[in-house]
Amino acid sequence: MTVDQRSATGQDSDVAAAEFAPVDFGRRQLRIETARIAGLIPLRAVVVCAALAVVIVGTGLASMTIGAYEVDFGAVLRAVVDPSSDPDIRQVVLEWRLPRVLFAVLCGAALALAGGIFQSLTRNPLGSPDIIGFGVGAQFGVTLTMVVLELNTYMFKAAGALIGGLFTALLVYVLASKNTLSSFRLIIVGIGVSAGLGSLTSWILISVSVEKAMMAATWGAGSLASLGFDQLIPAAIVFGIVTLLSLPLNRTLPVLEMGDDAATSLGISPGRTRLAAMVFGVALIALVTAAAGPISFIALAAPQISQRLTRSNTPMGTVPVMLTGAALVVVSDAVGQLVAVPVGVVTVSVGGIYLAWLLAAQYARRA
């Protein structure tokens, strides 16, 4: 009895609570275990991915109701799931508008994955291809291909974007490296190179005929209109190959974020990892730039939004990042159709506000 009374006092209760405090087992994980694959996936990431998939599908279906030929939401659904529905509506939905939605998904996923790669590589939320000039380099390569060489097919534009992006990456890397590669120096040098290439692009456009300049300017606004399955199929094949090849970066880049010494001690080559990350990141940017023109700020914003939604420690989470980018572009394209502007104009308008907020947050954190 005495023992029970002592244990009921506040002091003893605090001691007991401290001794038997609940153990923090970390984030809840979803276990996947099959004959060949086994692993743990954060439950929150699964929920976020499911919500983003719902946003992508819902917004994509809704955007297919927008256009000169009026189709309501029910008719769009019937055209997608019922082969015996109205053939005219099926032609409008499946042949004219569905490729645009699929392109929005592909472009958003590719840009977001490229942004995640570069932000993880530079360990800086400003280390995006939009900021460090790789996107402008790809745009410069396509402008040369279209306007100067007069090669306007998708494959030639893709080659021009890839060469321009890789050349820019090499130039930035050489100018920024001095014994070791600082992310701050990489960003500053990238901004300078981006400004120089932007000036060269403008000089080319004012030196050619009005027709060529108008064609390049229309492409440069970043639009998904007039894209069909002819461009979608090769772009999807290239995107699938690059994504599969870049999957090992999902494991090595977060380790590289801890520093070169830690990565080397864990059996990862920093130089080889950086080279692979830059090549795959530029290839993803070139893929989108060749098809739809520059769609800015998705690579900058999507990895950070995904990281906050999933509460991850790194911007390099392949599936959540790609779904976030796809959702941003699908929603932006739907808004662009409603206000009759290219998707690139919408992303620039929203992305500029996001960049201002990001710079203010970085400044406040350092103050």
mmCIF file of all heavy atoms in Angstrom, residues 10 85 97 198 213 262:
data_model
loop_
_atom_site.group_PDB
_atom_site.id
_atom_site.type_symbol
_atom_site.label_atom_id
_atom_site.label_comp_id
_atom_site.label_asym_id
_atom_site.label_seq_id
_atom_site.Cartn_x
_atom_site.Cartn_y
_atom_site.Cartn_z
ATOM 1 N N GLY A 10 3.469 13.177 -7.924
ATOM 2 C CA GLY A 10 3.853 13.739 -9.215
ATOM 3 C C GLY A 10 5.287 13.468 -9.599
ATOM 4 O O GLY A 10 5.595 13.183 -10.741
ATOM 5 N N SER A 85 -18.582 4.977 -78.381
ATOM 6 C CA SER A 85 -19.169 6.311 -78.232
ATOM 7 C C SER A 85 -19.040 7.105 -79.533
ATOM 8 O O SER A 85 -18.487 6.611 -80.527
ATOM 9 C CB SER A 85 -18.480 7.050 -77.078
ATOM 10 O OG SER A 85 -17.101 7.189 -77.337
ATOM 11 N N ARG A 97 -6.733 16.151 -78.406
ATOM 12 C CA ARG A 97 -6.474 16.731 -77.089
ATOM 13 C C ARG A 97 -5.703 15.806 -76.146
ATOM 14 O O ARG A 97 -4.989 16.290 -75.280
ATOM 15 C CB ARG A 97 -7.809 17.145 -76.435
ATOM 16 C CG ARG A 97 -8.519 18.224 -77.243
ATOM 17 C CD ARG A 97 -9.853 18.623 -76.651
ATOM 18 N NE ARG A 97 -10.510 19.622 -77.502
ATOM 19 C CZ ARG A 97 -11.738 20.085 -77.297
ATOM 20 N NH1 ARG A 97 -12.435 19.655 -76.238
ATOM 21 N NH2 ARG A 97 -12.260 20.985 -78.118
ATOM 22 N N GLY A 198 21.578 34.066 -73.702
ATOM 23 C CA GLY A 198 20.312 34.746 -74.002
ATOM 24 C C GLY A 198 20.527 35.916 -74.951
ATOM 25 O O GLY A 198 19.729 36.148 -75.866
ATOM 26 N N ALA A 213 12.049 34.679 -87.456
ATOM 27 C CA ALA A 213 12.031 35.189 -86.083
ATOM 28 C C ALA A 213 10.690 34.902 -85.410
ATOM 29 O O ALA A 213 10.637 34.543 -84.231
ATOM 30 C CB ALA A 213 12.307 36.687 -86.085
ATOM 31 N N ALA A 262 32.587 11.486 -47.415
ATOM 32 C CA ALA A 262 31.623 10.484 -46.963
ATOM 33 C C ALA A 262 31.178 9.587 -48.111
ATOM 34 O O ALA A 262 31.052 8.361 -47.959
ATOM 35 C CB ALA A 262 30.403 11.168 -46.340
#
